Amino acid sequence: MAAATRGCRPWGALVGLLGLVSAAAAAWDLASLRCNFGAFCECDFQPDLPGLECDLAQHLAGQHLAKALVVKALKAFVQDPAPTKPLVLSLHGWTGTGKSYVSSLLAQYLFQGGLRSPRVHHFSPVIHFPHPSHIERYKKDLKSWVQGNLTACSRSLFLFDEMDKMPPGLMEVLRPFLGSSWVVYGTNYRKAIFIFISNTGGEQINQVALEAWHSRRDREEIRLQELEPVISRAVLDNPNHGFWHSGIIEEHLLDAVVPFLPLQRHHVWHCVLNELAQLGLEPKDEVVQAVLDSTTFFPEHEQLFSSNGCKTVASRIAFFL
Ligand SMILES: *[C@@H]1O[C@H](CO)[C@@H](O)[C@H](O)[C@H]1NC(C)=O
């Protein structure tokens, strides 16, 4: 519900008027009625793309490519009543550049209840698949979870975090779900959304951004065509990445490789102001300056990019308040 207070949801004001609880209950009833009696069960899939675009524009610092790609891919997918394949996005970039933030916004603006929606499934290797020796069980579990949840509701979101720490071989079980087959295991799975997140390719993206800066090109001039091949190469060359030997890249099952650029000083400044606004605080110069002063930058010589993006901004603000 954070978005309602940010003013990006068109019905945010209405929710305020009716009271959060009754509005949520009413919407829930409507959704379940439609699920019970409608021809297509869309469960709590309630995309709000204008809200998503507005939130991205206001709060995602320095990511012109990610913004454009995500919005474009989602528009095409959501507006198509019968997609030919599930939507598969792979997000790449340095720590703290906004990958998790974007995926949580996606959950929030696509599903009632956001990350807490029963249709949103979040997998993290350290939590769900910690022991490489249990790989066979994990494979069985993951396949049956995806299959079971997609049978219950074709509009489901599967989010895979830290793809560079997945036990080798696990992601292979997803391959049949990501393509354009009409039917897999007896059900139509083409309305699902899969999002994969990793830092893999981050160093290569940083290198391209650094070279652009050296040759005095605008950051906004960096194009996807320069980044996509280097990211794909980094993934294919990384035996620790879940896509290693899975065939997922080779068979072009990814709809978009989404690069996140390293953040510069003015982006971190933007993050600090966002965070203060979230806390309902006026921008205080001393706090903003203190957070910026405590940020470390790289490469050593240029001091251009924040070492951990905006990742620790929130905790450092709390420290300096
Ligand atoms: C759906 O996925 C969750 C994991 O997110 C799993 O615990 C649950 O058993 C799955 N449901 C079905 C019906 O397979």
Side-chain angles (χ1 to χ4, degrees):
M1 276 298 127
T5 58
R6 291 172 189 171
C8 276
R9 263 192 205 257
W11 44 269
L14 181 68
V15 171
L17 274 179
L18 295 179
L20 272 173
V21 177
S22 61
W28 177 264
D29 281 352
L30 277 180
S32 53
L33 271 181
R34 208 177 54 209
C35 273
N36 288 334
F37 300 115
F40 306 100
C41 180
E42 301 274 291
C43 321
D44 45 4
F45 186 69
Q46 294 188 350
D48 168 14
L49 294 184
L52 174 68
E53 255 181 288
C54 165
D55 213 324
L56 286 172
Q58 280 182 21
H59 301 108
L60 182 66
Q63 304 300 352
H64 68 288
L65 286 169
K67 257 178 233 175
L69 274 166
V70 164
V71 168
K72 185 169 159 235
L74 269 171
K75 269 193 182 152
F77 182 72
V78 165
Q79 284 163 5
D80 186 347
T84 54
K85 76 182 279 306
L87 178 64
V88 187
L89 305 176
S90 192
L91 317 187
H92 300 265
W94 197 249
T95 312
T97 50
K99 304 181 296 297
S100 300
Y101 183 66
V102 166
S103 45
S104 68
L105 285 186
L106 287 182
Q108 195 180 322
Y109 284 100
L110 291 176
F111 292 90
Q112 173 131 31
L115 284 174
R116 285 187 310 275
S117 160
R119 307 303 166 202
V120 174
H121 305 276
H122 186 193
F123 299 100
S124 163
V126 284
I127 296 169
H128 297 93
F129 316 113
H131 306 294
S133 57
H134 297 175
I135 178 73
E136 290 312 318
R137 206 190 77 214
Y138 294 156
K139 277 183 168 176
K140 232 175 92 235
D141 286 351
L142 182 58
K143 182 177 156 189
S144 84
W145 290 341
V146 171
Q147 202 172 330
N149 282 295
L150 285 180
T151 307
C153 180
S154 58
R155 290 291 191 188
S156 295
L157 171 68
F158 300 93
L159 186 60
F160 294 86
D161 230 332
E162 299 197 272
M163 281 293 288
D164 42 349
K165 298 192 179 71
M166 285 289 169
L170 179 60
M171 293 294 115
E172 274 167 32
V173 303
L174 293 182
R175 194 168 47 151
F177 297 102
L178 305 182
S180 57
S181 0
W182 274 80
V183 169
V184 196
Y185 309 118
T187 311
N188 173 3
Y189 292 156
R190 293 176 300 175
K191 287 185 174 179
I193 301 175
F194 292 85
I195 299 175
F196 301 98
I197 299 183
S198 73
N199 293 351
T200 307
E203 283 173 38
Q204 288 79 357
I205 297 171
N206 294 354
Q207 191 56 36
V208 171
L210 182 63
E211 280 161 20
W213 183 81
H214 275 303
S215 49
R216 297 177 189 281
R217 280 173 71 203
D218 259 352
R219 177 185 173 95
E220 280 71 27
E221 283 172 30
I222 299 175
R223 291 167 311 128
L224 179 65
Q225 290 84 336
E226 304 168 58
L227 294 170
E228 191 172 355
V230 290
I231 297 170
S232 297
R233 180 44 49 211
V235 172
L236 289 168
D237 287 347
N238 183 354
N240 295 319
H241 195 282
F243 289 160
W244 171 258
H245 286 190
S246 68
I248 290 170
I249 295 216
E250 296 88 330
E251 291 177 25
H252 306 286
L253 299 179
L254 302 183
D255 295 289
V257 166
V258 184
F260 286 73
L261 303 175
L263 298 181
Q264 291 172 237
R265 178 171 280 271
H266 60 284
H267 301 120
V268 179
W269 180 79
H270 183 154
C271 293
V272 179
L273 294 190
N274 273 344
E275 196 58 41
L276 287 171
Q278 277 280 89
L279 296 170
L281 299 172
E282 294 295 318
K284 270 201 281 180
D285 283 345
E286 315 91 77
V287 176
V288 178
Q289 201 52 49
V291 175
L292 282 173
D293 289 345
S294 67
T295 304
T296 55
F297 291 89
F298 70 96
E300 205 186 335
H301 179 62
E302 291 90 348
Q303 294 285 309
L304 190 56
F305 302 128
S306 165
S307 308
N308 53 14
C310 281
K311 195 167 188 134
T312 55
V313 162
S315 57
R316 281 183 291 142
I317 284 182
F319 182 78
F320 290 121
L321 275 180

